[in-house]
């Protein structure tokens, strides 16, 4: 795979994860945020997907973001684990696998 193609696929995956975070996570629970509101958090989630972290680990990461970045009490882990599964699905779909 060429370096350009690899970069392009990573950008697609980050964009897919950002979209899934916006659609399924939305920790501040505001309905009409700009679509790029959670783009800054997508790369850290993608970095967890590549060593194949499980959905619980990704859910724990989302809980940490809710607490540290948004100063919110984190949602229950089972809820965030379901979000993680949806995010993983979006990432997988963006890779065409």
């Amino acid at each position: 795979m060429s370096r350009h193609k690899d970069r392009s696929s990573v950008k697609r995956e980050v964009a897919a994860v950002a979209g899934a975070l916006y659609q399924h996570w939305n920790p501040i629970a505001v309905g009409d945020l700009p679509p790029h509101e959670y783009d800054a958090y997508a790369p850290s989630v993608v970095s967890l997907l590549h060593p194949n972290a499980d959905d619980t680990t990704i859910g724990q990461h989302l809980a940490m973001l809710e607490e540290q970045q948004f100063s919110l009490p984190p949602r229950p882990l089972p809820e965030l684990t379901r979000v993680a599964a949806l995010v993983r699905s979006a990432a997988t779909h963006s890779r065409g696998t």
Side-chain angles (χ1 to χ4, degrees):
M1 179 181 303
S2 76
R3 196 176 178 131
H4 176 69
K5 187 174 180 181
D6 187 40
R7 230 182 275 151
S8 173
S9 65
V10 169
K11 284 183 179 183
R12 272 195 317 275
E13 187 173 12
V14 169
V17 167
L21 290 174
Y22 178 78
Q23 184 176 10
H24 302 292
W25 181 44
N26 192 8
I28 57 177
V30 175
D32 52 348
L33 291 171
H36 61 277
E37 183 66 27
Y38 302 119
D39 287 4
Y41 306 102
S44 67
V45 173
V46 169
S47 72
L48 290 171
L49 291 170
H50 285 284
N52 210 19
D54 62 19
D55 292 341
T56 299
T57 300
I58 295 167
Q60 290 168 332
H61 178 71
L62 295 174
M64 181 271 305
L65 290 173
E66 288 180 356
E67 191 169 37
Q68 293 181 6
Q69 299 296 317
F70 296 97
S71 299
L72 296 170
R75 285 180 276 175
L77 188 56
E79 182 180 341
L80 293 172
T81 300
R82 283 190 296 276
V83 170
L86 294 166
V87 168
R88 179 185 305 283
S89 178
T92 300
H93 182 50
S94 77
R95 293 189 301 261
T97 57

